[in-house]
Amino acid sequence: MSKRRPSGDGMVRKREDGRWEGRIVVGHKADGDSIFQYVLAPTQKALLAKLHQDIETFRGVELCEDSRMTLAQWLDRWLDEYAALRLRDSTMGSYRMYAERYIKPRLGNKKINSITAADIQRMYTKLKKEGRVREHPQHGRALSASTIRRIHTMLHRAMADAVRAHIIPRNPTEGLTLPKADSPAKRVLTDKELDRFMETINADPLWHDFFYTELTTGLRRGEICGLQWHDFDAGAGTLQISRTLHRKTGGGFETGETKTGRGKRKILLPDSAANLLRKRQKAIPGKWVFPDPLKPEQPIPPDAAYRRLQSLLREAGISENIPFHGLRHTFATHALASGVDAKTLSGILGHTDAAFTLNTYTHVTGDMQRQASAIVGNFMEDIFGKELKPWQSAENGATEAST
């Protein structure tokens, strides 16, 4: 066996075709043989400049044999052996689509340890201009900024794991320039629409409690569908949010972690919502707060909640399609406009911090604040009683409850 050469050791030679070739040791195989990084340049001076740059890049790095694999090969392995252990089925489906549709056709055949930040930046630029597979009547072939940012999130995770696995020396996705996130206007129910919606759910005994609880808490769809009775403290009037319900690939449902670390939280309910759940707990025992009406041993499926929302909106004379998240936006918008501070609301919603909450609801303008008592206060009081700010009622209880 040849003598083991240290990482960073290298050599330079002139090839028969006139170009200069250099190589440096970047790691070792299982048998001790060296793994080389090769560089080509038209002149010796240009080659030395490239070699010095590579020496800095690979300084202190000990790569393994897998560093010679292509990006496509690594993404396949990463999805199967790394991502599958910690991601939901729905997220895995999206990540596989990003890899197959956007990344592999552009960089998949390139060796992973040769991919640079410039390569990835050029890919994002091309995707922004012509990344859409099927032409859109309004946007043409341009891919949305939000999709590119999600692709970046996936690729950043994959490359970070490649660094930890000694496959690449540095994460080339660090410090890239991403397109500004799309920020479409959030559709919320107006005061008149909310009045009509409340009248409609009042006439629906099967779904009233579900949608009333949603409008007074702003829970994500998977969070409210996944509520269990042991999450409800009837004495304190609080809800512990600790899981989310989502559909499994191939059918059925499973519970998982909340969307963010701050998603695990305890929220103090308005008296009206707490009383509603106290009565419901006596009338509907079992495991789930909101069981499937047809299969009481199972929770309400999130997609069934969406379909019923659309039916109720039509019954209320609201023809526009409003996503389930629109009820969360409605709660948050009216809470801010009614004077609930951003930090408290951030805790209730399970956001990462108050800054994110304010950035998300920038449409709650100063004018809305000034008109809150006239526009929002009256109808909120008519619907929910004198509970405009129940989370700030006594000795800053909301802040303590929203952990």
Side-chain angles (χ1 to χ4, degrees), residues 136-158:
H136 189 276
Q138 180 180 355
H139 305 293
R141 300 300 292 270
L143 196 63
S144 71
S146 58
T147 299
I148 293 174
R149 294 176 76 90
R150 288 193 291 270
I151 293 170
H152 173 76
T153 297
M154 173 237 176
L155 189 55
H156 178 82
R157 290 180 175 181

PDB file of all heavy atoms in Angstrom, residues 136-158:
ATOM      1  N   HIS A 136     -47.834  29.315 -18.160  1.00  0.00           N
ATOM      2  CA  HIS A 136     -48.980  29.876 -17.448  1.00  0.00           C
ATOM      3  C   HIS A 136     -49.561  31.021 -18.279  1.00  0.00           C
ATOM      4  O   HIS A 136     -48.809  31.818 -18.851  1.00  0.00           O
ATOM      5  CB  HIS A 136     -48.525  30.391 -16.075  1.00  0.00           C
ATOM      6  CG  HIS A 136     -49.638  30.797 -15.172  1.00  0.00           C
ATOM      7  ND1 HIS A 136     -50.234  32.037 -15.224  1.00  0.00           N
ATOM      8  CD2 HIS A 136     -50.283  30.122 -14.175  1.00  0.00           C
ATOM      9  CE1 HIS A 136     -51.176  32.117 -14.302  1.00  0.00           C
ATOM     10  NE2 HIS A 136     -51.222  30.970 -13.660  1.00  0.00           N
ATOM     11  N   PRO A 137     -50.896  31.118 -18.377  1.00  0.00           N
ATOM     12  CA  PRO A 137     -51.488  32.175 -19.218  1.00  0.00           C
ATOM     13  C   PRO A 137     -51.115  33.588 -18.782  1.00  0.00           C
ATOM     14  O   PRO A 137     -51.079  34.506 -19.588  1.00  0.00           O
ATOM     15  CB  PRO A 137     -52.998  31.931 -19.080  1.00  0.00           C
ATOM     16  CG  PRO A 137     -53.152  31.082 -17.855  1.00  0.00           C
ATOM     17  CD  PRO A 137     -51.921  30.265 -17.776  1.00  0.00           C
ATOM     18  N   GLN A 138     -50.825  33.761 -17.493  1.00  0.00           N
ATOM     19  CA  GLN A 138     -50.483  35.089 -16.992  1.00  0.00           C
ATOM     20  C   GLN A 138     -48.978  35.271 -16.795  1.00  0.00           C
ATOM     21  O   GLN A 138     -48.413  36.302 -17.136  1.00  0.00           O
ATOM     22  CB  GLN A 138     -51.199  35.349 -15.663  1.00  0.00           C
ATOM     23  CG  GLN A 138     -50.908  36.731 -15.063  1.00  0.00           C
ATOM     24  CD  GLN A 138     -51.651  36.944 -13.748  1.00  0.00           C
ATOM     25  OE1 GLN A 138     -52.445  36.113 -13.319  1.00  0.00           O
ATOM     26  NE2 GLN A 138     -51.397  38.073 -13.109  1.00  0.00           N
ATOM     27  N   HIS A 139     -48.302  34.250 -16.258  1.00  0.00           N
ATOM     28  CA  HIS A 139     -46.892  34.381 -15.909  1.00  0.00           C
ATOM     29  C   HIS A 139     -45.943  33.747 -16.925  1.00  0.00           C
ATOM     30  O   HIS A 139     -44.718  33.827 -16.755  1.00  0.00           O
ATOM     31  CB  HIS A 139     -46.644  33.756 -14.533  1.00  0.00           C
ATOM     32  CG  HIS A 139     -47.513  34.316 -13.451  1.00  0.00           C
ATOM     33  ND1 HIS A 139     -47.395  35.617 -13.014  1.00  0.00           N
ATOM     34  CD2 HIS A 139     -48.524  33.753 -12.728  1.00  0.00           C
ATOM     35  CE1 HIS A 139     -48.294  35.838 -12.058  1.00  0.00           C
ATOM     36  NE2 HIS A 139     -48.983  34.729 -11.872  1.00  0.00           N
ATOM     37  N   GLY A 140     -46.471  33.113 -17.964  1.00  0.00           N
ATOM     38  CA  GLY A 140     -45.614  32.485 -18.956  1.00  0.00           C
ATOM     39  C   GLY A 140     -44.834  31.324 -18.369  1.00  0.00           C
ATOM     40  O   GLY A 140     -45.376  30.480 -17.672  1.00  0.00           O
ATOM     41  N   ARG A 141     -43.512  31.273 -18.611  1.00  0.00           N
ATOM     42  CA  ARG A 141     -42.672  30.197 -18.095  1.00  0.00           C
ATOM     43  C   ARG A 141     -41.955  30.582 -16.808  1.00  0.00           C
ATOM     44  O   ARG A 141     -41.160  29.802 -16.280  1.00  0.00           O
ATOM     45  CB  ARG A 141     -41.628  29.797 -19.151  1.00  0.00           C
ATOM     46  CG  ARG A 141     -42.214  29.294 -20.457  1.00  0.00           C
ATOM     47  CD  ARG A 141     -43.077  28.065 -20.263  1.00  0.00           C
ATOM     48  NE  ARG A 141     -42.318  26.905 -19.862  1.00  0.00           N
ATOM     49  CZ  ARG A 141     -41.781  26.048 -20.706  1.00  0.00           C
ATOM     50  NH1 ARG A 141     -41.926  26.210 -22.009  1.00  0.00           N
ATOM     51  NH2 ARG A 141     -41.099  25.002 -20.267  1.00  0.00           N
ATOM     52  N   ALA A 142     -42.195  31.786 -16.310  1.00  0.00           N
ATOM     53  CA  ALA A 142     -41.526  32.246 -15.091  1.00  0.00           C
ATOM     54  C   ALA A 142     -42.025  31.459 -13.880  1.00  0.00           C
ATOM     55  O   ALA A 142     -43.236  31.266 -13.694  1.00  0.00           O
ATOM     56  CB  ALA A 142     -41.762  33.738 -14.881  1.00  0.00           C
ATOM     57  N   LEU A 143     -41.093  31.023 -13.052  1.00  0.00           N
ATOM     58  CA  LEU A 143     -41.438  30.299 -11.836  1.00  0.00           C
ATOM     59  C   LEU A 143     -41.581  31.295 -10.696  1.00  0.00           C
ATOM     60  O   LEU A 143     -40.820  32.258 -10.603  1.00  0.00           O
ATOM     61  CB  LEU A 143     -40.344  29.278 -11.515  1.00  0.00           C
ATOM     62  CG  LEU A 143     -40.680  28.168 -10.510  1.00  0.00           C
ATOM     63  CD1 LEU A 143     -41.804  27.294 -11.056  1.00  0.00           C
ATOM     64  CD2 LEU A 143     -39.449  27.317 -10.242  1.00  0.00           C
ATOM     65  N   SER A 144     -42.534  31.067  -9.824  1.00  0.00           N
ATOM     66  CA  SER A 144     -42.793  32.023  -8.750  1.00  0.00           C
ATOM     67  C   SER A 144     -41.643  32.074  -7.760  1.00  0.00           C
ATOM     68  O   SER A 144     -40.928  31.094  -7.553  1.00  0.00           O
ATOM     69  CB  SER A 144     -44.086  31.662  -8.014  1.00  0.00           C
ATOM     70  OG  SER A 144     -43.905  30.480  -7.246  1.00  0.00           O
ATOM     71  N   ALA A 145     -41.481  33.230  -7.150  1.00  0.00           N
ATOM     72  CA  ALA A 145     -40.427  33.410  -6.153  1.00  0.00           C
ATOM     73  C   ALA A 145     -40.620  32.472  -4.968  1.00  0.00           C
ATOM     74  O   ALA A 145     -39.651  31.941  -4.420  1.00  0.00           O
ATOM     75  CB  ALA A 145     -40.401  34.865  -5.681  1.00  0.00           C
ATOM     76  N   SER A 146     -41.861  32.240  -4.571  1.00  0.00           N
ATOM     77  CA  SER A 146     -42.116  31.379  -3.413  1.00  0.00           C
ATOM     78  C   SER A 146     -41.688  29.944  -3.709  1.00  0.00           C
ATOM     79  O   SER A 146     -41.148  29.259  -2.828  1.00  0.00           O
ATOM     80  CB  SER A 146     -43.602  31.422  -3.039  1.00  0.00           C
ATOM     81  OG  SER A 146     -44.415  31.023  -4.124  1.00  0.00           O
ATOM     82  N   THR A 147     -41.891  29.469  -4.956  1.00  0.00           N
ATOM     83  CA  THR A 147     -41.460  28.119  -5.307  1.00  0.00           C
ATOM     84  C   THR A 147     -39.941  28.021  -5.295  1.00  0.00           C
ATOM     85  O   THR A 147     -39.365  27.037  -4.808  1.00  0.00           O
ATOM     86  CB  THR A 147     -42.001  27.720  -6.686  1.00  0.00           C
ATOM     87  OG1 THR A 147     -43.427  27.747  -6.660  1.00  0.00           O
ATOM     88  CG2 THR A 147     -41.535  26.323  -7.074  1.00  0.00           C
ATOM     89  N   ILE A 148     -39.263  29.033  -5.816  1.00  0.00           N
ATOM     90  CA  ILE A 148     -37.798  29.027  -5.814  1.00  0.00           C
ATOM     91  C   ILE A 148     -37.269  29.016  -4.385  1.00  0.00           C
ATOM     92  O   ILE A 148     -36.293  28.318  -4.068  1.00  0.00           O
ATOM     93  CB  ILE A 148     -37.253  30.242  -6.595  1.00  0.00           C
ATOM     94  CG1 ILE A 148     -37.609  30.103  -8.077  1.00  0.00           C
ATOM     95  CG2 ILE A 148     -35.728  30.359  -6.426  1.00  0.00           C
ATOM     96  CD1 ILE A 148     -37.264  31.297  -8.914  1.00  0.00           C
ATOM     97  N   ARG A 149     -37.894  29.753  -3.511  1.00  0.00           N
ATOM     98  CA  ARG A 149     -37.450  29.779  -2.121  1.00  0.00           C
ATOM     99  C   ARG A 149     -37.664  28.417  -1.451  1.00  0.00           C
ATOM    100  O   ARG A 149     -36.866  27.994  -0.610  1.00  0.00           O
ATOM    101  CB  ARG A 149     -38.174  30.890  -1.357  1.00  0.00           C
ATOM    102  CG  ARG A 149     -37.809  32.291  -1.851  1.00  0.00           C
ATOM    103  CD  ARG A 149     -38.616  33.362  -1.148  1.00  0.00           C
ATOM    104  NE  ARG A 149     -38.116  33.587   0.192  1.00  0.00           N
ATOM    105  CZ  ARG A 149     -37.185  34.461   0.519  1.00  0.00           C
ATOM    106  NH1 ARG A 149     -36.614  35.212  -0.415  1.00  0.00           N
ATOM    107  NH2 ARG A 149     -36.798  34.612   1.765  1.00  0.00           N
ATOM    108  N   ARG A 150     -38.731  27.717  -1.817  1.00  0.00           N
ATOM    109  CA  ARG A 150     -38.942  26.366  -1.265  1.00  0.00           C
ATOM    110  C   ARG A 150     -37.908  25.385  -1.826  1.00  0.00           C
ATOM    111  O   ARG A 150     -37.429  24.498  -1.103  1.00  0.00           O
ATOM    112  CB  ARG A 150     -40.368  25.893  -1.563  1.00  0.00           C
ATOM    113  CG  ARG A 150     -41.432  26.612  -0.738  1.00  0.00           C
ATOM    114  CD  ARG A 150     -42.768  25.900  -0.835  1.00  0.00           C
ATOM    115  NE  ARG A 150     -43.361  26.018  -2.147  1.00  0.00           N
ATOM    116  CZ  ARG A 150     -44.184  26.985  -2.527  1.00  0.00           C
ATOM    117  NH1 ARG A 150     -44.491  27.955  -1.670  1.00  0.00           N
ATOM    118  NH2 ARG A 150     -44.706  27.002  -3.732  1.00  0.00           N
ATOM    119  N   ILE A 151     -37.573  25.526  -3.113  1.00  0.00           N
ATOM    120  CA  ILE A 151     -36.518  24.693  -3.700  1.00  0.00           C
ATOM    121  C   ILE A 151     -35.206  24.948  -2.969  1.00  0.00           C
ATOM    122  O   ILE A 151     -34.456  24.009  -2.660  1.00  0.00           O
ATOM    123  CB  ILE A 151     -36.367  25.007  -5.208  1.00  0.00           C
ATOM    124  CG1 ILE A 151     -37.612  24.555  -5.970  1.00  0.00           C
ATOM    125  CG2 ILE A 151     -35.112  24.342  -5.779  1.00  0.00           C
ATOM    126  CD1 ILE A 151     -37.660  25.040  -7.408  1.00  0.00           C
ATOM    127  N   HIS A 152     -34.922  26.214  -2.670  1.00  0.00           N
ATOM    128  CA  HIS A 152     -33.691  26.561  -1.959  1.00  0.00           C
ATOM    129  C   HIS A 152     -33.664  25.925  -0.568  1.00  0.00           C
ATOM    130  O   HIS A 152     -32.629  25.415  -0.132  1.00  0.00           O
ATOM    131  CB  HIS A 152     -33.567  28.074  -1.844  1.00  0.00           C
ATOM    132  CG  HIS A 152     -32.425  28.512  -0.987  1.00  0.00           C
ATOM    133  ND1 HIS A 152     -31.112  28.475  -1.411  1.00  0.00           N
ATOM    134  CD2 HIS A 152     -32.385  28.974   0.296  1.00  0.00           C
ATOM    135  CE1 HIS A 152     -30.318  28.896  -0.444  1.00  0.00           C
ATOM    136  NE2 HIS A 152     -31.063  29.204   0.595  1.00  0.00           N
ATOM    137  N   THR A 153     -34.791  25.962   0.122  1.00  0.00           N
ATOM    138  CA  THR A 153     -34.859  25.354   1.454  1.00  0.00           C
ATOM    139  C   THR A 153     -34.511  23.875   1.391  1.00  0.00           C
ATOM    140  O   THR A 153     -33.738  23.355   2.209  1.00  0.00           O
ATOM    141  CB  THR A 153     -36.265  25.537   2.049  1.00  0.00           C
ATOM    142  OG1 THR A 153     -36.531  26.934   2.220  1.00  0.00           O
ATOM    143  CG2 THR A 153     -36.389  24.834   3.391  1.00  0.00           C
ATOM    144  N   MET A 154     -35.078  23.180   0.402  1.00  0.00           N
ATOM    145  CA  MET A 154     -34.798  21.751   0.241  1.00  0.00           C
ATOM    146  C   MET A 154     -33.329  21.511  -0.086  1.00  0.00           C
ATOM    147  O   MET A 154     -32.664  20.669   0.543  1.00  0.00           O
ATOM    148  CB  MET A 154     -35.685  21.182  -0.864  1.00  0.00           C
ATOM    149  CG  MET A 154     -35.373  19.752  -1.242  1.00  0.00           C
ATOM    150  SD  MET A 154     -35.008  19.661  -2.996  1.00  0.00           S
ATOM    151  CE  MET A 154     -34.568  17.927  -3.133  1.00  0.00           C
ATOM    152  N   LEU A 155     -32.778  22.257  -1.060  1.00  0.00           N
ATOM    153  CA  LEU A 155     -31.397  22.043  -1.480  1.00  0.00           C
ATOM    154  C   LEU A 155     -30.416  22.409  -0.370  1.00  0.00           C
ATOM    155  O   LEU A 155     -29.388  21.743  -0.184  1.00  0.00           O
ATOM    156  CB  LEU A 155     -31.110  22.869  -2.738  1.00  0.00           C
ATOM    157  CG  LEU A 155     -29.772  22.610  -3.444  1.00  0.00           C
ATOM    158  CD1 LEU A 155     -29.607  21.142  -3.787  1.00  0.00           C
ATOM    159  CD2 LEU A 155     -29.657  23.478  -4.691  1.00  0.00           C
ATOM    160  N   HIS A 156     -30.742  23.454   0.390  1.00  0.00           N
ATOM    161  CA  HIS A 156     -29.891  23.847   1.516  1.00  0.00           C
ATOM    162  C   HIS A 156     -29.806  22.712   2.543  1.00  0.00           C
ATOM    163  O   HIS A 156     -28.724  22.406   3.056  1.00  0.00           O
ATOM    164  CB  HIS A 156     -30.436  25.112   2.166  1.00  0.00           C
ATOM    165  CG  HIS A 156     -29.655  25.560   3.354  1.00  0.00           C
ATOM    166  ND1 HIS A 156     -28.492  26.293   3.251  1.00  0.00           N
ATOM    167  CD2 HIS A 156     -29.848  25.363   4.681  1.00  0.00           C
ATOM    168  CE1 HIS A 156     -28.010  26.532   4.453  1.00  0.00           C
ATOM    169  NE2 HIS A 156     -28.820  25.978   5.338  1.00  0.00           N
ATOM    170  N   ARG A 157     -30.931  22.080   2.846  1.00  0.00           N
ATOM    171  CA  ARG A 157     -30.940  20.967   3.794  1.00  0.00           C
ATOM    172  C   ARG A 157     -30.119  19.791   3.268  1.00  0.00           C
ATOM    173  O   ARG A 157     -29.355  19.161   4.017  1.00  0.00           O
ATOM    174  CB  ARG A 157     -32.384  20.519   4.051  1.00  0.00           C
ATOM    175  CG  ARG A 157     -33.223  21.508   4.848  1.00  0.00           C
ATOM    176  CD  ARG A 157     -34.628  20.962   5.027  1.00  0.00           C
ATOM    177  NE  ARG A 157     -35.442  21.811   5.891  1.00  0.00           N
ATOM    178  CZ  ARG A 157     -36.698  21.545   6.228  1.00  0.00           C
ATOM    179  NH1 ARG A 157     -37.279  20.441   5.773  1.00  0.00           N
ATOM    180  NH2 ARG A 157     -37.370  22.363   7.014  1.00  0.00           N
ATOM    181  N   ALA A 158     -30.295  19.479   1.980  1.00  0.00           N
ATOM    182  CA  ALA A 158     -29.568  18.360   1.394  1.00  0.00           C
ATOM    183  C   ALA A 158     -28.066  18.605   1.424  1.00  0.00           C
ATOM    184  O   ALA A 158     -27.274  17.701   1.737  1.00  0.00           O
ATOM    185  CB  ALA A 158     -30.043  18.122  -0.042  1.00  0.00           C
TER     186      ALA A 158
END
